[in-house]
Amino acid sequence: MKETILGMNSWVVYGGLLLLTVLIAFFLLSIASSLNKSPGSKTKKKKSSSRLGCLTILFLLLTAFALLSFSAYLRAYHAFTAQELVAMVECRPADADSADFRLILVPVIKEVPQEEQAYDMLGNQWAIGGDILKWHSAVNFLGLHTHYRLTRVEGRY
């Protein structure tokens, strides 16, 4: 259930919560207006009607606060748990005698695979390196995300 809600578009969730809030507020306001129109003691009815109006306003304020909190939670959740595919790597035995293995690298930029690159490597280990620009958590929360650039592929013994 949690994965389903977190996977949904946040605007759909906000719209559903807003619709629910408007329906409940309309229901409470209709009760308040019906109490105003009914015959009987006016002071008692007006008092209960004004209390119900205050209760409706309080409910709307609390719902607005809940929507704001939920929005901040979703923003923080996505900002701090987002994972991005950087590259797809495959290691195969070398075709030629001049290399120990062949490394096939497919860089991924903005979730789009780029052109495949092949490297003949020496050694029994390989490593991919690059530059990473990591922002402070508060700046990450505001929308600036980590940037990276693959700069080297190396083999070693």
Side-chain angles (χ1 to χ4, degrees), residues 5 11 18 20 24 36 66 96 107 134 136 138 143 157:
I5 291 174
W11 291 109
L18 180 66
L20 181 67
I24 292 173
N36 249 354
K134 176 98 171 105
H136 189 271
Y157 288 98

Side-chain angles (χ1 to χ4, degrees), residues 84-85 108-114 147-148:
E84 188 174 347
L85 182 64
V108 177
I109 300 175
K110 295 183 181 176
E111 299 182 9
V112 177
Q114 303 299 307
H147 292 280
Y148 61 89

Side-chain angles (χ1 to χ4, degrees), residues 83-89 105-114 128-132 146-151:
Q83 295 182 359
E84 188 174 347
L85 182 64
V86 176
M88 295 180 284
V89 181
L105 173 70
V106 180
V108 177
I109 300 175
K110 295 183 181 176
E111 299 182 9
V112 177
Q114 303 299 307
I128 297 176
D131 301 323
I132 298 174
T146 302
H147 292 280
Y148 61 89
R149 179 177 57 188
L150 297 177
T151 56

Side-chain angles (χ1 to χ4, degrees), residues 73-86:
Y73 169 76
L74 279 180
R75 180 91 171 150
Y77 180 81
H78 288 296
F80 297 124
T81 62
Q83 295 182 359
E84 188 174 347
L85 182 64
V86 176

Side-chain angles (χ1 to χ4, degrees), residues 3-19:
E3 291 82 20
T4 305
I5 291 174
L6 291 175
M8 290 174 65
N9 185 351
S10 59
W11 291 109
V12 173
V13 175
Y14 297 150
L17 289 174
L18 180 66
L19 181 65

